[in-house]
Structure formats: C-alpha cells, structure tokens
Amino acid sequence: MFDDRDRKILDLLQNDASLGVSELAERVNLSVSACSRRIQRLEEEGFIARRVVLLDRPLMGLPTTMFVIVRTARHSAEWLEQFRKAINDIPEIVEVHRMTGTIDYILKLVLPRVEAYDGIYRTLVERVEFFDISASVSMEILKTTTAVPTRYVR
C-alpha cells in the first residue's frame, strides 16, 4: 500500500537523505516508529534503491561536462560486452544511454577540462570498434537533479 505519506517521505529523502527519522516523522505527521517502519518497507520493496552522497563537481576538479554520441555498425552481443567493459573501466563516464533512432548510445562524461577527453577517446577507440563517435561540450547546466517524480506510483 503506497500513500501520500510514503510519497512525502520519498520526496524528502530525495532532497536530503541525511534527514533523521525523527525529523522525517515530524514532517509527515507520523510517530518515529511508524515512520521508521515505512522507510524500512520502502527499502524492502525497492522504492529506495540506495542512499548516496553527491559531491560538488567543481570542488572535485571536474567542472566540465561532455556528451559523446556513439554510432556502431555492429550490434552483436560480443560488441556490446566489449563496450560495457570499456565504459565500466572509465570512471569519468558517469552515464550511458542506449537510444532509439540514428544514435546508438549517448555517454555523459565529467572531466577536469576539455583536453582530458582526448585520453578517454583514445581508450575507447582502442578497445571498441565504432562507426562514428563525436563529442559536444556542455556550455551551461540549466537543470540537474537526481530526484524523480513520485506522483506516478499507485
């Protein structure tokens, strides 16, 4: 049973996972024990996948965001396994999406500067065969969030 209090708990935790159970309980008008049981249930049911700390990228020396567009001529399981291994070995690649349409994959990279991309590019093309690979630098982040809307849960 998922209700508005569960939704509120998830919204609050997405914004600040360090909130204590007592503060969460107060904000959703529950006792501490009832709130704790709900959080535990939300974790057990998989709504809360994990709790993480988000780092300040500029302070970490990674102010640059690049998006790499990949097209491949091969779509075999072997190629995909090579690609998965290559991207998993490069920590600067923080997201990879398989796409529909004329683009096969989009990679999101975080870098100290644009010039650092060359080393990652060389590593990728040494390990995986591509039909086409191109990159674009993000000039400005207009919106970024890790929170997802909770209104669609029934």
Side-chain angles (χ1 to χ4, degrees), residues 8-91:
K8 182 70 172 169
I9 289 168
L10 292 177
D11 286 336
L12 290 166
L13 286 174
Q14 284 189 102
N15 188 52
D16 184 358
S18 70
L19 288 174
V21 176
S22 58
E23 187 169 349
L24 282 169
E26 184 179 321
R27 290 191 188 186
V28 297
N29 199 26
L30 284 171
S31 69
V32 172
S33 60
C35 186
S36 179
R37 284 192 303 273
R38 281 180 184 251
I39 293 168
Q40 183 177 3
R41 180 180 50 79
L42 291 167
E43 288 174 333
E44 289 169 357
E45 292 177 359
F47 289 101
I48 298 173
R50 65 180 186 214
R51 298 183 194 201
V52 299
V53 172
L54 300 177
L55 303 179
D56 183 288
R57 287 186 30 216
L59 287 178
M60 296 303 297
L62 298 164
T64 304
T65 304
M66 292 192 73
F67 293 93
V68 178
I69 307 297
V70 170
R71 291 180 28 201
T72 180
R74 296 180 55 207
H75 295 277
S76 67
E78 177 187 328
W79 183 92
L80 184 56
E81 185 58 28
Q82 282 182 315
F83 183 59
R84 283 182 198 267
K85 285 180 181 175
I87 61 176
N88 284 328
D89 288 344
I90 302 171

Side-chain angles (χ1 to χ4, degrees), residues 131-150:
F131 175 75
D132 184 49
I133 186 168
S134 62
S136 296
V137 178
S138 171
M139 299 295 290
E140 177 183 14
I141 298 172
L142 300 176
K143 179 180 180 179
T144 184
T145 183
T146 58
V148 297
T150 58

